[in-house]
Structures are given as C-alpha cells and as structure tokens.
Amino acid sequence: MIRSGCSRPSWSSQSNRCRRRWSVGAGPSDLLAGLLDHAATLFARLTVALAAVHAVPVTEIRDALTVDLNLARGTLELRRGLLRHTLYLEELTHRLAADWLTYRHRRWPASLNPHLLVSQKTALDPDLPAVNRNSLRIGLPDGLTLEKLRQDRILDEAFATGDPLKLMRLFGITDVTAMRYVGAAYPERTAKLPR
C-alpha cells in the first residue's frame, strides 16, 4: 500500500493535520507519483490522472470521446447530457493523453471506436462500445477506487480554498455538491447555516 506521508495510510482523511496537496500545474505529489508508478499501462496512468487530478467521474472517463480531446489547446471536453465541462489539462495529464493516443493509433490503427479509452476487446468491436468499468480498475491498489480518488481530490481542493465557486468551476460539480465538500472541510463555517 502506498503511504501518504501521514503516520497511517490515508486516502480520504478528514483530518487537517494529514492533508496532502494535489496541485494542478505543479509536479505530482508523492501519493500521485506512487499511484502512477503502480499503474503499469498508459491506459491505467491516464485513468488515474483523470480521476486523481481532475476528479472526473468514472462514467465520464468511460464515455470521453477522442474528438473531445484537443492536445493543441490542452483541453478535454466532457459531455454531461446537453452540457459540456472543459478540463484544462496540466502538463502531466497532457503528456499521458498524448502518449495514450500515440499508443492507441499504433496498436489499433483500424479502430473506429470514438471513445478515448479503448481496450483490446472494444477497439475493433463493430458496436463501438465504451470500455468496461472493471477495466478501469486495473492498476489501482487493493481497496482503492477511482471514485475515492475523485472524492479525495475534491475534498483536498475544498480544504485548500474553502470556495464552493472554485470547486464548481474546476470540477463542474453542482452548488449543492460543492457546499457539501466545503462543509466537510470546514464544518465550523456551515454549522450555523439553516438546514
């Protein structure tokens, strides 16, 4: 198991004394570096980066399309029904996405599957399915899920900023969800609000 630098392993610690920083744009933290080292494939590394750095939900990782990745602009548009949420890729995720696309085009040059992430089964499937949820778990330590990584990333940002508007803009979450994360990070700020 990868240690977070605390006296105990912690993936979603609620305590201020045991928080770690996930700084988008800066180099990866020790925890993120350990997760990326544990992920053996480009597929797994990109999946971990999308969940742990950008807090992308599992269903949106599965449903992301290749045409929505713009490496020249450094963006990935996520489709949320009729809405779109634009991720601005920092250097690490940008490099992983570029490496994944290169690998994907070399490995399956005839693939017509529009999804960004494909597996050996889905790349050449004429039905063009998204990858299976279980294939996204490959490369994660036991007991850790992409959803836990996502939640921990949002909670860490809530600890760092305490600003629900920033959470909404950065992760594309609703105001109610953003307030829940800020309330979990700073319960003293929301204790007196009417419920």
Side-chain angles (χ1 to χ4, degrees):
M1 176 172 266
I2 301 164
R3 298 225 179 240
S4 64
C6 303
S7 59
R8 58 184 166 73
S10 171
W11 295 107
S12 58
S13 170
Q14 297 288 330
S15 125
N16 275 331
R17 62 188 155 81
C18 196
R19 298 307 305 157
R20 60 207 164 270
R21 290 294 308 133
W22 299 84
S23 45
V24 175
S29 70
D30 292 340
L31 179 61
L32 181 58
L35 285 171
L36 291 173
D37 288 344
H38 194 272
T41 64
L42 286 171
F43 178 95
R45 287 187 189 115
L46 180 57
T47 302
V48 166
L50 289 172
V53 176
H54 297 282
V56 178
V58 175
T59 54
E60 291 179 14
I61 293 173
R62 286 182 65 227
D63 295 339
L65 301 178
T66 305
V67 297
D68 293 333
L69 176 65
N70 187 334
L71 291 174
R73 289 184 49 213
T75 61
L76 173 62
E77 280 194 14
L78 300 173
R79 297 166 189 247
R80 296 180 174 171
L82 297 176
L83 303 174
R84 304 268 175 119
H85 175 66
T86 303
L87 293 181
Y88 294 93
L89 306 178
E90 88 303 338
E91 183 180 343
L92 171 69
T93 310
H94 187 276
R95 183 174 39 86
L96 290 171
D99 291 348
W100 166 252
L101 280 183
T102 302
Y103 173 79
R104 176 193 158 135
H105 291 303
R106 276 193 201 136
R107 176 101 190 254
W108 302 290
S111 177
L112 297 176
N113 193 319
H115 294 92
L116 177 62
L117 294 175
V118 294
S119 66
Q120 188 170 351
K121 289 182 179 180
T122 64
L124 300 174
D125 190 321
D127 295 331
L128 308 175
V131 292
N132 187 313
R133 289 180 74 93
N134 293 332
S135 63
L136 295 177
R137 293 185 192 140
I138 296 172
L140 290 176
D142 290 338
L144 185 64
T145 65
L146 293 172
E147 192 59 33
K148 285 182 184 177
L149 284 174
R150 176 181 185 270
Q151 292 169 355
D152 197 45
R153 173 64 180 103
I154 297 171
L155 184 61
D156 192 69
E157 193 65 35
F159 270 109
T161 66
D163 182 3
L165 289 176
K166 182 170 183 181
L167 297 179
M168 291 167 61
R169 288 185 193 120
L170 188 59
F171 302 119
I173 58 179
T174 65
D175 56 344
V176 173
T177 304
M179 285 304 294
R180 279 195 212 131
Y181 277 102
V182 171
Y186 296 99
E188 67 279 0
R189 289 186 187 175
T190 57
K192 296 177 183 171
L193 291 177
R195 299 207 188 252

